[in-house]
Amino acid sequence: MLTRRSTLGLLAAAATLPSRALAVVAPPRNEIRESLAKRFTDLGTAGTFVGYKVEDYLIVASDRERSGEGKLPASTFKIPNSLIALETGVVADPDKDVFPWDGVKRPIEAWNKDHTLRSAILVSAVPVYQEIARRIGQERMQKYVDLLDYGNRDIGGGIDQFWLTGALRIDPIEQIDFVDRLRRRALPISKRSQDLVADILPVTKVGDSVIRAKSGLLGAERGAPSLGWMVGWAEKGDAHTVFALNMDCGEPRLVGERIALTQACLADIGAI
């Protein structure tokens, strides 16, 4: 039986490949590039990068081990959380529905204000998304995490904490599978919700390329970062590359390196 990672061409996996997962037309080729792994060691940290070059059916990864290790998604979960908020009606309009600041002063100044869904995802406002999760509730959240086939689907550990300190885990290959389904509007929810979330994803332009991506940083809300993520996709002309990067960010200097390192890896594989 085909598995998710065997179809993606990296390594064997236990999870059965869903019929709507990426690369259903043909199993992609794969490459492990030591030059990508060297970028992490040159920074003095450990991490992994995986890129799926859609039109080439090609997976390019920095390694075979960490690329398949599940981690807490941190704020990359704001992508499915936004989808679920829109699908359930917790948020009707990402530009008009306002989440008032609760008045609690937090170390990240951009969080200390009222937010819409669009502004909250841009500054990765954890308190806003915790309130969204509470409004969605445990039962509906579980239903949609299952429906979206997101990571290990385990939302144990508190409705407003499970993606930060709880039981939810997702690996880079699963991140790519999920993000690619969003990119193709192939998730089993309304096209409207997918269109809106794709539209509010932070955008970076590099030359003639566009990167739509969400960052994540474990421990950001406590001022003690430990693991950083970048997930999304790059568009260069008619070519698309879906990617996921995670790296250890125990030192403050490394937090700001996530975007630059992602861009460097994308450039290395010709995605931007």
Side-chain angles (χ1 to χ4, degrees):
M1 181 179 291
L2 283 177
T3 60
R4 187 192 307 273
R5 288 182 188 79
S6 63
T7 298
L8 290 174
L10 277 178
L11 53 150
T16 300
L17 175 72
S19 61
R20 79 294 179 266
L22 58 74
V24 295
V25 175
R29 297 169 292 121
N30 70 84
E31 296 179 10
I32 303 297
R33 295 190 186 175
E34 293 182 2
S35 59
L36 294 171
K38 187 174 183 295
R39 287 200 172 273
F40 294 95
T41 55
D42 285 350
L43 275 177
T45 191
T48 186
F49 172 85
V50 185
Y52 170 50
K53 304 191 76 173
V54 176
E55 287 75 22
D56 296 335
Y57 292 105
L58 174 65
I59 293 283
V60 183
S62 61
D63 64 273
R64 293 184 183 275
E65 291 76 36
R66 184 159 170 159
S67 60
E69 293 176 2
K71 308 283 187 184
L72 277 159
S75 283
T76 65
F77 187 74
K78 287 184 172 69
I79 301 176
N81 208 356
S82 297
L83 289 165
I84 297 166
L86 289 161
E87 199 70 5
T88 57
V90 165
V91 175
D93 189 313
D95 295 302
K96 294 180 180 178
D97 292 14
V98 176
F99 292 83
W101 177 40
D102 60 8
V104 177
K105 192 79 170 176
R106 295 178 175 87
I108 299 176
E109 188 59 38
W111 295 0
N112 301 325
K113 58 183 288 188
D114 296 352
H115 278 289
T116 62
L117 194 67
R118 185 183 298 273
S119 67
I121 200 169
L122 181 64
V123 301
S124 208
V126 169
V128 173
Y129 276 88
Q130 289 180 308
E131 174 60 21
I132 287 171
R134 289 190 288 267
R135 293 186 190 183
I136 291 168
Q138 188 83 15
E139 184 176 345
R140 290 193 296 181
M141 184 69 80
Q142 186 66 70
K143 170 189 170 182
Y144 278 98
V145 169
D146 286 342
L147 185 65
L148 297 173
D149 189 24
Y150 187 85
N152 67 355
R153 306 183 184 187
D154 190 339
I155 65 170
I159 188 60
D160 58 3
Q161 288 291 329
F162 65 85
W163 67 93
L164 299 169
T165 60
L168 188 62
R169 297 291 185 275
I170 191 166
D171 66 44
I173 300 300
E174 291 168 333
Q175 288 271 29
I176 287 175
D177 168 67
F178 172 73
V179 170
D180 189 61
R181 285 184 283 139
L182 171 61
R183 181 192 67 82
R184 294 187 288 116
R185 309 300 194 266
L187 292 167
I189 57 174
S190 70
K191 183 175 181 296
R192 175 184 182 270
S193 295
Q194 295 178 78
D195 285 344
L196 288 172
V197 171
D199 182 63
I200 67 174
L201 278 178
V203 172
T204 302
K205 294 186 178 180
V206 181
D208 60 351
S209 300
V210 174
I211 302 171
R212 304 179 191 277
K214 183 69 196 75
S215 62
L217 187 63
L218 284 183
E221 71 284 358
R222 303 189 306 274
S226 58
L227 176 81
W229 280 100
M230 290 293 299
V231 304
W233 69 88
E235 304 166 359
K236 182 180 181 181
D238 295 329
H240 301 81
T241 302
V242 190
F243 63 86
L245 172 146
N246 71 47
M247 57 185 280
D248 295 345
C249 290
E251 298 177 50
R253 68 177 178 87
L254 294 169
V255 173
E257 296 288 348
R258 290 169 297 161
I259 295 174
L261 183 55
T262 299
Q263 292 183 14
C265 290
L266 288 169
D268 285 350
I269 67 173
I272 61 173

